[in-house]
Structures are given as C-alpha cells and as structure tokens.
Amino acid sequence: MNDIVGIRVLNSKARWIGFLTYGRVFDSTDESELRAAVEAALPGFGVDSAVEVHVCNSLQELHSCPYFYEGLLSFAWDPIPFGDRYEVA
C-alpha cells in the first residue's frame, strides 16, 4: 500500500502543501531518503522555505488538498516505472 505516498509540507507562511509521489523509490521502510529528495525538489515547486516535511501515514491526510483527486488519478493511469521504463535524471 506504499506504492504511492502523500507528503505534507509546512511552509514558512504556516500553510500546509500536499504532494503525491512514489513511495518505494529509495527504501520500502526508511522514509529519510524520500524526505530528503522531496526537500531538495521543493524550490522547483515554489516552496523556498519548508519548515516541516512529513510523510503521511495514509493518502487520506491529503484528501482536502486542491487537485488531490486529479493527482491520484494521474498516478493510477500510469503504473510505477520499473527497469528500462524508469528514467534516471
């Protein structure tokens, strides 16, 4: 159930922002590398000063975020890329 995870980010203006991403990119149990990767990418999403980055226990924690369902459907349409289909940046 951790193929897709929710990430909540508290910005410096005390506003929570939600993200969906693949959960088992680095490790299936240790979320520290995932959090670090998200933190590094935040400026690209317009979040320059994150106060807190939290990996959600359930996607339900993000259900009230704008575009949550659109993002979830986008992940559902395309399965997780493995092997030759996975692009390495």
Side-chain angles (χ1 to χ4, degrees):
M1 294 303 292
N2 292 324
D3 290 339
I4 300 172
V5 296
I7 297 180
R8 289 179 49 193
V9 177
L10 181 64
N11 68 13
S12 61
K13 297 177 184 175
R15 294 188 179 146
W16 286 101
I17 303 163
F19 293 91
L20 294 174
T21 189
Y22 295 117
R24 297 182 180 187
V25 175
F26 301 106
D27 191 293
S28 62
T29 58
D30 182 9
E31 61 190 40
S32 61
E33 286 187 74
L34 177 60
R35 266 197 328 269
V38 169
E39 287 174 7
L42 287 175
F45 293 99
V47 182
D48 294 322
S49 53
V51 176
E52 182 181 335
V53 176
H54 168 72
V55 177
C56 300
N57 290 324
S58 167
L59 294 180
Q60 187 172 358
E61 292 182 45
L62 299 179
H63 78 280
S64 63
C65 292
Y67 303 109
F68 169 76
Y69 292 102
E70 290 85 349
L72 187 59
L73 285 173
S74 176
F75 276 90
W77 286 329
D78 296 316
I80 296 174
F82 288 105
D84 295 337
R85 295 180 329 141
Y86 186 75
E87 292 182 32
V88 178

